[in-house]
């Protein structure tokens, strides 16, 4: 398989673009991790409803399972949102280490569905990752690590 021609200018540009993608993945992962905690309000409200089913002066009581539904739905939403944030973080980590090229492309495609930040990040990630010169960077063997000086 023929390797793409890499001139020093395109190699430097690719390295810079990958570095920026890594930083933006970390930022977007943090934003999504924060927003994923919003259903915590539903969890707390559900616990309150489950532990205090009789509220008000009328003496009407709601079944405790109503509160537990709020708790379960809130926890599922939090876990789903945090899983998305972890996936975005890992994509940034893989890009930084130039590992798992196919996983980076797939996760970047999935990011396109996460409007608004994920869409922009996913499109730019795909634009950079689908360059033949960038793919060659992922396929190149990692540079030898320098010995640790202590």
């Amino acid at each position: 398989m023929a390797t793409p021609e890499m001139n020093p200018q395109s190699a430097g540009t690719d390295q810079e673009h990958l570095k920026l993608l890594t930083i933006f993945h970390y930022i977007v992962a943090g934003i999504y991790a924060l927003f994923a905690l919003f259903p915590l309000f539903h969890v707390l409200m559900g616990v309150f409803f489950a532990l205090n089913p009789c509220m008000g002066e009328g003496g009407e009581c709601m079944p405790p399972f109503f509160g537990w539904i709020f708790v379960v739905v809130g926890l599922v939403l939090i876990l789903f949102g945090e899983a998305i944030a972890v996936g975005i973080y890992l994509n940034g980590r893989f890009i930084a280490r130039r590992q798992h090229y196919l996983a980076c492309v797939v996760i970047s495609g999935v990011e396109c569905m996460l409007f608004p930040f994920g869409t922009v990040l996913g499109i730019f990630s795909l634009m950079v990752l689908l360059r033949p010169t960038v793919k060659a960077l992922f396929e190149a063997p990692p540079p030898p690590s320098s010995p640790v000086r202590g």
Side-chain angles (χ1 to χ4, degrees):
M1 181 160 100
T3 59
E5 293 293 323
M6 290 189 62
N7 59 28
Q9 184 179 7
S10 72
T13 302
D14 289 340
Q15 295 285 354
E16 184 65 25
H17 288 172
L18 290 172
K19 182 178 177 182
L20 287 172
L21 282 178
T22 299
I23 293 168
F24 290 139
H25 272 87
Y26 293 155
I27 292 170
V28 170
I31 290 170
Y32 276 102
L34 177 66
F35 284 151
L37 295 176
F38 282 180
L40 192 60
F41 173 74
H42 291 87
V43 172
L44 296 175
M45 189 171 64
V47 169
F48 179 74
F49 286 155
L51 298 179
N52 300 314
C54 296
M55 294 183 298
E57 297 174 14
E60 289 186 30
C61 294
M62 67 177 89
F65 78 87
F66 180 73
W68 294 117
I69 290 174
F70 270 75
V71 171
V72 169
V73 170
L75 288 176
V76 167
L77 290 174
I78 289 171
L79 290 175
F80 183 71
E82 295 298 332
I84 289 172
V86 167
I88 294 171
Y89 172 81
L90 288 176
N91 197 23
R93 191 81 168 156
F94 293 157
I95 290 172
R97 293 182 176 184
R98 313 293 188 266
Q99 296 174 334
H100 310 292
Y101 176 78
L102 184 60
C104 289
V105 171
V106 169
I107 295 172
S108 296
V110 171
E111 287 174 0
C112 290
M113 294 186 293
L114 304 173
F115 185 79
F117 303 119
T119 303
V120 174
L121 183 61
I123 289 171
F124 284 128
S125 296
L126 289 173
M127 287 173 55
V128 171
L129 289 172
L130 294 178
R131 292 183 199 153
T133 53
V134 172
K135 186 173 182 178
L137 290 174
F138 275 80
E139 293 172 350
S145 59
S146 61
V148 178
R149 296 179 193 182

